[in-house]
Structure formats: structure tokens, C-alpha cells
Amino acid sequence: MQVLDEDGAQRQAGYRRSAGTPRGEARRQDLLDRVTEDLAVNGLVDFSLRRAARAAGTTHKVLLYHFDGADDLLRQAIFQLRERRISRGLAVAAGPRLADRVRGEGRVLDQAIGLALYDSDRYAELGRASQQYLPALLSLCPADWSERRKLEVAEMILAVLRGFVVGRRTSGDTAGIAAGFEALMRALDREEAAGE
């Protein structure tokens, strides 16, 4: 079983007991899907192995059989949730302007970055997980741009969106963030017009 690491690269999963058989892998994936759904609905607040087990309809011991602990399960569920959101965002990102294609969602992203800020030793990879969005942002850039320009613009968008997430969590200034987002959209329009 391949999973994404904090840099978005694929790596071999750390668990061993259930990964050897198709049936074990299917069970592990089903459990992960159920926990991911729970995170999508309830967020990260009060996340625990026991809450995850209730959401998955099993016991915490079964989860420990399939995952390397609560942090491993949480990390994989956040990565899976983020992949779903990226895919869904790309499916609806059909606007003619680059700015139209950038709009998205992110309550769990907010909370994951918050955890990374709160306890960077334990949750740093959750904060870095936002790098998963980079390939999607690159794909939204006009095809005739150079790879370097696509990377620069995608990194700028990602950094600004991270800043908005932190700003919303720390200040609650939704009006200021909305104004900043509109300024980002105008900047993207100018960037795209400069390439024509």
C-alpha cells in the first residue's frame, strides 16, 4: 500500500499486519474511509483513537492492528480528506480565469495547520501537508506558462491561502480575509493578463 508523505511523495505504509493481503488492505481502507468521513463532518476537535473507532464501527484495538497509532491514523485520514477536496475542487474549477479556478474549501486544513502551530514537534507534517495542494494549483495555471512561472504563482497562492487560514483562526477577521482574497483574485487576473 502506497501513502503520501508530508512532501506529497509516495512511500510504503508503516503498518505490516494487514498490508500483506488484499482482504486486509480492503479492511484497512474501509476503516480509513470511515474515519476520514468523521473528520470531514466533525473536524479534529477531540480526535482520539476511541472516537475514530466509534466512527469506524470497531474497537481501538482493531485500529491499532491496521495503523501505527492515533497519529498515523490521523495523518492518513487528513491526507485522504485533502486528496478528496483537491479532486472535488479540480472537478468544479472550470472557470475561464485563473482566479475562478483557485477558489476552494478547508475547515480540516485550518485545524491541521492550527495543530501544527500548537505542537510543531508532534504535528509538523500536518502543517506541511498543505503541499498536497501544489500539484493541483500547478495544473490550474495556463498551459502556455513556463514551469518556473507556474511554480512561482502556485507557491504564492498556497502561501497566501495558508496565511488566510492562520489569520482566520487567530484573528477571526473574516471581512479582512475576504478583502484579502479578492485582492489575491485581482493579482491573479493581472498575472494572467501579463502572460498574454
Side-chain angles (χ1 to χ4, degrees), residues 92-102 140-143 188-189 192-193 196:
V92 299
R97 299 167 37 230
L98 175 60
D100 293 332
R101 296 188 300 266
V102 167
L140 297 177
C141 292
L188 292 175
D189 283 341
E192 192 166 21
E196 296 176 344

Side-chain angles (χ1 to χ4, degrees), residues 86-153:
I86 290 168
S87 297
R88 192 168 50 238
L90 287 175
V92 299
R97 299 167 37 230
L98 175 60
D100 293 332
R101 296 188 300 266
V102 167
R103 299 184 191 272
E105 59 180 283
R107 183 176 82 152
V108 172
L109 173 61
D110 292 358
Q111 294 173 351
I113 290 174
L115 280 175
L117 291 170
Y118 172 73
D119 187 346
S120 61
D121 291 336
R122 184 173 179 190
Y123 297 111
E125 68 183 283
L126 297 182
R128 290 189 304 268
S130 61
Q131 285 298 113
Q132 273 183 280
Y133 285 108
L134 196 55
L137 291 171
L138 288 167
S139 74
L140 297 177
C141 292
D144 61 338
W145 283 6
S146 71
E147 292 305 310
R148 179 179 177 160
R149 185 172 182 202
K150 288 179 187 178
L151 181 62
E152 290 169 350
V153 170

Side-chain angles (χ1 to χ4, degrees), residues 4 6 8 14 20 32 54 58 78 90-91 104 115 123 154 163 191-192:
L4 295 177
E6 65 271 7
L32 181 59
R54 279 191 306 276
T58 190
I78 287 174
L90 287 175
L115 280 175
Y123 297 111
E191 183 68 29
E192 192 166 21

Side-chain angles (χ1 to χ4, degrees), residues 29-189:
Q29 187 60 51
D30 179 57
L31 294 168
L32 181 59
D33 289 344
R34 291 175 185 213
V35 172
T36 300
E37 270 314 303
D38 178 66
L39 282 180
V41 172
N42 299 309
L44 296 175
V45 176
D46 298 326
F47 179 84
S48 69
L49 200 55
R50 292 191 190 278
R51 175 183 136 189
R54 279 191 306 276
T58 190
T59 67
H60 72 283
K61 289 182 180 183
V62 169
L63 291 178
L64 288 172
Y65 179 80
H66 291 281
F67 299 93
D68 290 336
D71 288 347
D72 177 50
L73 176 59
L74 178 61
R75 181 184 53 76
Q76 289 191 45
I78 287 174
F79 278 117
Q80 181 166 301
L81 183 59
R82 193 160 293 131
E83 282 298 317
R84 286 183 189 175
R85 288 184 173 176
I86 290 168
S87 297
R88 192 168 50 238
L90 287 175
V92 299
R97 299 167 37 230
L98 175 60
D100 293 332
R101 296 188 300 266
V102 167
R103 299 184 191 272
E105 59 180 283
R107 183 176 82 152
V108 172
L109 173 61
D110 292 358
Q111 294 173 351
I113 290 174
L115 280 175
L117 291 170
Y118 172 73
D119 187 346
S120 61
D121 291 336
R122 184 173 179 190
Y123 297 111
E125 68 183 283
L126 297 182
R128 290 189 304 268
S130 61
Q131 285 298 113
Q132 273 183 280
Y133 285 108
L134 196 55
L137 291 171
L138 288 167
S139 74
L140 297 177
C141 292
D144 61 338
W145 283 6
S146 71
E147 292 305 310
R148 179 179 177 160
R149 185 172 182 202
K150 288 179 187 178
L151 181 62
E152 290 169 350
V153 170
E155 289 281 10
M156 176 199 64
I157 293 167
L158 187 56
V160 170
L161 293 177
R162 277 190 202 124
F164 290 158
V165 166
V166 172
R168 187 171 62 222
R169 285 287 166 207
T170 58
S171 74
D173 181 13
T174 56
I177 291 166
F181 189 78
E182 290 308 314
L184 173 64
M185 297 299 104
R186 289 191 302 274
L188 292 175
D189 283 341

